[in-house]
Amino acid sequence: MSLIKTIGDYLIGDNGGVVSITGAGGKTSTLKALGKIQSPKTFDYDADYAFTDEGDALLHEPEKGQSVFYAQRALMDPKKLVSPRTDVLSLLIKRYDVTIIEADGAKGLPLKYHSDRDPVIVDETTAVLAIMGASSYGDIVDNSCFGYESTAPVDMKFINYLIKDGQGALKGMRGRALLLINQADEKTLPLDEFISPVPIIMGSVKEDRIYGRKDI
């Protein structure tokens, strides 16, 4: 079965909602896949409409079936996109059946240890998808985990620590929650050794393939 369809059915279903994606190891790829955003155009996104100015985003009146991408240009670096203001997001959410939000950043690393400032989970969030990258397994923490310094290996002990710790992978969970272990096409982790209070699905967004699941 399709990984993306399984995630979409579990988190969104037929009633729509607001999904916040957190963590590392494939957030942007998952967002694109869930939103059916396809080939690169501007900032590596292509949707029916793409906005990088809040005025333009607020003026747009979406029609049924449209996909719309919006991120704000950084004032100091026009090539960089940053999160919209939360009050603007709240206004936009009311106009769409499904809103998918990339709620934090990890600078391309496969794991994330959150700071006090992130993830930014808006009040309207109905589901959260946390992502961890399997490609980190066996590497050194310093090389793999944004926000955490250690020369220890990334093993199941460290992965379960990230799942359990309040600043780790599941920070910000609310509503319907799911943990995706992405990049299973690169490395397959022992699913039975995961200790998680939320359901887990192991798969590859790139292949749109499920490798295993736990409590889902």
Side-chain angles (χ1 to χ4, degrees):
M1 182 182 289
S2 161
L3 171 66
I4 299 303
K5 185 178 187 308
T6 299
I7 292 173
D9 288 347
Y10 186 80
L11 295 178
I12 303 169
D14 297 326
N15 298 319
V18 180
V19 179
S20 290
I21 302 179
T22 70
K27 287 198 309 295
T28 302
S29 298
T30 305
L31 184 150
K32 290 182 182 181
L34 285 174
K36 297 181 175 64
I37 300 171
Q38 299 174 2
S39 59
K41 184 177 180 182
T42 303
F43 296 103
D44 220 16
Y45 284 92
D46 188 15
D48 294 320
Y49 293 88
F51 302 111
T52 56
D53 177 83
E54 67 178 38
D56 293 337
L58 288 167
L59 285 172
H60 180 70
E61 297 183 5
E63 297 179 3
K64 191 76 172 177
Q66 283 184 353
S67 61
V68 177
F69 169 77
Y70 168 51
Q72 191 66 28
R73 288 182 187 268
L75 290 176
M76 302 304 293
D77 183 0
K79 295 181 180 179
K80 182 180 180 181
L81 296 180
V82 297
S83 299
R85 293 187 293 128
T86 54
D87 56 337
V88 173
L89 274 178
S90 294
L91 289 172
L92 292 173
I93 283 169
K94 297 173 183 177
R95 303 180 186 180
Y96 295 89
D97 294 330
V98 177
T99 305
I100 305 171
I101 300 171
E102 191 168 343
D104 60 7
K107 295 191 175 179
L109 293 178
L111 297 175
K112 173 70 181 281
Y113 188 80
H114 294 98
S115 70
D116 293 337
R117 300 184 303 274
D118 64 0
V120 178
I121 307 295
V122 298
D123 292 340
E124 294 87 353
T125 296
T126 57
V128 177
L129 174 66
I131 301 179
M132 303 176 78
S135 64
S136 63
Y137 194 59
D139 201 352
I140 302 299
V141 173
D142 275 344
N143 299 335
S144 301
C145 186
F146 182 76
Y148 197 99
E149 295 182 1
S150 173
T151 56
V154 177
D155 53 14
M156 286 307 302
K157 180 180 179 181
F158 182 74
I159 287 173
N160 281 323
Y161 166 77
L162 278 185
I163 293 172
K164 179 181 178 181
D165 189 85
Q167 295 290 99
L170 302 186
K171 183 182 179 184
M173 285 284 147
R174 67 165 65 187
R176 204 138 170 90
L178 181 66
L179 174 59
L180 167 63
I181 309 300
N182 188 32
Q183 303 169 341
D185 54 304
E186 299 181 35
K187 292 183 182 178
T188 302
L189 280 60
L191 190 58
D192 59 341
E193 295 184 24
F194 279 86
I195 302 172
S196 171
V198 305
I200 298 173
I201 188 165
M202 184 178 296
S204 167
V205 172
K206 182 171 67 175
E207 295 180 343
D208 193 19
R209 175 184 172 189
I210 296 172
Y211 282 72
R213 62 183 79 187
K214 193 173 184 179
D215 299 326
I216 179 175

